[in-house]
Amino acid sequence: MKKLFVLFLLLLSPSWAIEWVSVVSTKGRAGFVDIDSIRESQGYYFYNIKFANKSEDDIVILTMQSGIKNPISARLKAYSPKEYDSLGGDYQNITNLSTQKLEAITYESLAYACYKKVKEIQQLKNSPKITF
């Protein structure tokens, strides 16, 4: 029941037509990936995730950097939902805080679930289209 409340709370947060895609870790932790924010640059994915930090009232949005070929990641910037909404979907500078200090992430973590979702989305986006 608590997880459903968190998902409901996250879905109700205001946005600028941002498309959040639901993600759940193997341990059941729920979060979302802003699929409009995903960028590829210099061998990395850059994207934003949203989740409830220690309580349902503490919603956090993070800009993440992850390796394209392996699950190493870094948290680049944290936003409150209000701060994030004030950006109005401006993703042009998402790669500006790039770092070389990425760390391995565990397979059970929400960070890994988000990485997998981003990788899946980008592979579909970059796959050749068949037309008839």
Side-chain angles (χ1 to χ4, degrees), residues 83-110:
E83 289 174 307
Y84 194 72
D85 286 338
S86 73
L87 297 175
D90 177 13
Y91 308 118
Q92 292 181 9
N93 300 313
I94 195 168
T95 62
N96 287 357
L97 298 174
S98 178
T99 184
Q100 296 299 313
K101 297 179 182 180
L102 283 75
E103 300 175 0
I105 51 178
T106 63
Y107 292 103
E108 292 119 0
S109 69
L110 182 58

Side-chain angles (χ1 to χ4, degrees), residues 43-45 47 64-75 99-105 111-112 115:
Y44 297 104
Y45 295 126
Y47 52 97
M64 300 289 292
Q65 176 182 346
S66 298
I68 288 177
K69 294 184 180 181
N70 50 33
I72 55 173
S73 292
R75 299 174 188 172
T99 184
Q100 296 299 313
K101 297 179 182 180
L102 283 75
E103 300 175 0
I105 51 178
Y112 182 73
Y115 164 78

